[in-house]
Amino acid sequence: MGAADVLRGNDIGTMVTAAPALYPHMWSWDAAFISIGLAHLDVERAGQEIRTLLAAQWGDGMLPHIVYGDRGGYFPGPGRWGTAELSASAPDAPLTSGICQPPVHAIAVGRILEVARRGSAADRAAGERLVRDSWDALYRWHAWLSQYRDPDGTGLIGVVHGWESGMDNSPRWDGPYSAVVPGPDLPSYVRLDRELVRDGAERPTDVEYDRYLWLIEEMRRASYDPAKVYETSSFLVADVFVSAVFAVASDVLADLGAEFGAPAASVADLRAWAARSRAAVAASCSPSTGLARDFDRRANAWVDVQTLAGFAPLISGGLSADAERALLDELHGPRWAGHPDLVAKVPPTVSPDSEGFKSREYWRGPQWPVISWLFGWAHARHGYAAEAETLRGETLKLVGDGAFSEYYEPVTGEALGSRKQSWTAAVILDWLDR
Ligand code: 9WN
């Protein structure tokens, strides 16, 4: 009931905001997870959430990372991005940001369909209509990622901003960000997030924010032309986690397409993209640690920083049986989710044994329930039912305080960041109703 109240309370009509105060708009990958939670309350409303996001799709196929509602309250807002004025592809309405986020959307549509098929005839019809209505747009979104973020066909999808990874200030990005040097002409700005999250240790630093804003300046100067952005952004990293999500979401979308009569050539594209990205994620694994690695395309070097993203092959598959087992054991073992200091056996974003571990700081240590859900979903898909069940049970323990926080301090279990975070409530609803 608490989780349902969070989603209903954050619902402003056609969108459930990512959080009531800190994020009062729609975020792309949040919306996908939120729609999964909504499916347990009202399948039609779940479909609406996906439709609202797709209505903001750019002409070239990109799904933007923020769709702005009509309230302000978040920086950077639409004025700072200037997408409608600068880009021919961006919609005039609704206003959006100019970057994207991990492509979890097809996973959400697939899950909504599963939930809908267990419901009434009307639910089932609503779920199937959603697949039919959203398939082409989702195909175009995947095609955009393949064409513009992997123009050389490597299988690894590039991100041009840490925000695109969804894991904004992960230590994975420290190296690539060190080459992002804000110019003296960076327009001034005032952060709003620090008004709402008073403890500075829980949010990215001001130095990080200057870099985030500088990358937006660079994109504005390229008029958000995706080929130009790929060429000119001072941050360009092939992201294993995004690539793994892309692979498995392409599989899901291909399966839905095959069932619902999508063009065979488009289904074949998705299967080829999935196979290529799955192989590339598997091939990125470090010979010494077994963890998958991002590739910094500007520095032309592997990023050898160990974070939760290194377990990306458990999302996309494609490892040998032995390597997969070893990676699974590592994730649930004493360096990660099974670390003896943790209150719940849920993977932290950085291992407490790593030098870079910061127990309160955003993507540098805390546990994120939504990420645990994604690993749990992937475990179940790949036949690791016991491990999926552990993630479910342990995350439910973690969020038992009812705060539905954005993230949690792993050693004490303290709720951090935003409260009433929609995607946290959404994944809990999905986990409670199986
Ligand atoms: C920037 C909304 C979003 C999530 C991201 C998370 C955080 C935004 C911010 O909040 O990012 O996009 O202001 O920090 O890192 O994953 O989608 O919940």
Side-chain angles (χ1 to χ4, degrees):
M1 285 170 71
D5 278 352
V6 168
L7 293 188
R8 292 196 184 106
N10 293 346
D11 190 347
I12 58 170
T14 53
M15 67 169 72
V16 174
T17 59
L22 191 57
Y23 308 118
H25 304 279
M26 171 179 272
W27 263 256
S28 168
W29 77 324
D30 296 57
F33 291 109
I34 289 166
S35 70
I36 293 172
L38 288 172
H40 295 280
L41 306 177
D42 177 348
V43 176
E44 199 66 63
R45 182 65 190 79
Q48 168 77 64
E49 201 67 10
I50 297 288
R51 288 184 171 88
T52 298
L53 177 65
L54 295 180
Q57 186 167 30
W58 285 29
D60 58 13
M62 185 181 81
L63 280 187
H65 111 289
I66 302 176
V67 181
Y68 291 98
D70 47 17
R71 306 167 180 190
Y74 181 78
F75 179 83
R80 184 74 179 205
W81 291 97
T83 51
E85 301 93 81
L86 294 166
S87 157
S89 293
D92 291 333
L95 292 170
T96 76
S97 68
I99 56 173
C100 61
Q101 273 190 326
V104 289
H105 314 87
I107 296 173
V109 170
R111 181 73 188 131
I112 293 169
L113 181 65
E114 278 173 16
V115 174
R117 283 180 162 163
R118 295 191 334 232
S120 65
D123 285 344
R124 187 187 170 93
E128 293 181 348
R129 200 166 51 248
L130 175 65
V131 177
R132 288 201 184 85
D133 292 353
S134 62
W135 201 90
D136 286 348
L138 292 175
Y139 170 79
R140 292 206 304 124
W141 160 225
H142 283 229
W144 183 89
L145 285 165
S146 172
Q147 180 177 351
Y148 292 113
R149 293 312 182 79
D150 184 20
D152 301 319
T154 64
L156 292 182
I157 304 289
V159 293
V160 297
H161 197 297
W163 283 342
E164 290 200 322
S165 72
M167 301 187 181
D168 311 1
N169 74 338
S170 170
R172 305 155 74 188
W173 312 133
D174 289 351
Y177 266 130
S178 66
V180 177
V181 184
D185 46 345
L186 174 67
S188 64
Y189 64 94
V190 178
R191 288 177 65 171
L192 296 179
D193 59 316
R194 292 298 325 284
E195 308 286 311
L196 296 160
V197 180
R198 288 283 175 191
D199 176 7
E202 295 177 34
R203 293 282 305 173
T205 63
D206 288 345
V207 173
E208 286 168 329
Y209 254 76
D210 275 357
R211 291 174 174 147
Y212 300 164
L213 271 299
W214 181 248
L215 290 177
I216 296 177
E217 272 320 292
E218 289 186 342
M219 288 182 231
R220 288 178 57 101
R221 290 169 195 186
S223 304
Y224 297 100
D225 170 333
K228 216 172 190 175
V229 166
Y230 194 87
E231 242 169 64
T232 57
S233 172
S234 47
F235 183 106
L236 177 64
V237 187
D239 177 325
V240 277
F241 182 80
V242 166
S243 304
V245 167
F246 176 71
V248 75
S250 294
D251 285 331
V252 171
L253 195 56
D255 289 346
L256 291 171
E259 183 186 340
F260 283 79
S266 304
V267 172
D269 284 343
L270 288 161
R271 298 225 191 270
W273 296 333
R276 188 167 68 188
S277 289
R278 185 178 359 270
V281 170
S284 78
C285 290
S286 154
S288 54
T289 67
L291 266 65
R293 294 171 297 172
D294 306 302
F295 189 82
D296 184 341
R297 295 214 182 280
R298 290 293 175 249
N300 208 22
W302 291 107
V303 179
D304 256 318
V305 177
Q306 294 180 44
T307 72
L308 186 51
F311 295 92
L314 296 177
I315 294 193
S316 47
L319 293 178
S320 70
D322 284 354
E324 186 164 284
R325 188 74 239 179
L327 198 60
L328 191 71
D329 289 348
E330 175 71 1
L331 179 64
H332 291 277
R335 272 179 46 77
W336 290 88
H339 194 285
D341 292 350
L342 305 191
V343 289
K345 293 184 181 18
V346 170
T349 38
V350 171
S351 163
D353 291 346
S354 289
E355 220 176 274
F357 174 74
K358 297 220 168 85
S359 68
R360 309 179 69 79
E361 198 182 322
Y362 216 36
W363 293 97
R364 295 182 186 271
Q367 295 152 315
W368 289 66
V370 71
I371 301 295
S372 301
W373 183 92
L374 189 59
F375 275 101
W377 174 85
H379 284 354
R381 182 176 170 86
H382 298 305
Y384 299 113
E387 288 81 359
E389 188 50 32
T390 301
L391 289 182
R392 172 183 178 272
E394 292 289 315
T395 308
L396 289 177
K397 189 160 96 186
L398 191 66
V399 302
D401 62 349
F404 300 103
S405 262
E406 193 181 6
Y407 43 99
Y408 288 80
E409 210 274 6
V411 179
T412 62
E414 183 187 345
L416 298 176
S418 169
R419 305 299 188 274
K420 299 190 176 177
Q421 180 83 9
S422 296
W423 67 5
T424 303
V427 299
I428 296 309
L429 275 176
D430 192 59
W431 259 329
L432 287 175
D433 174 35
R434 290 172 305 155

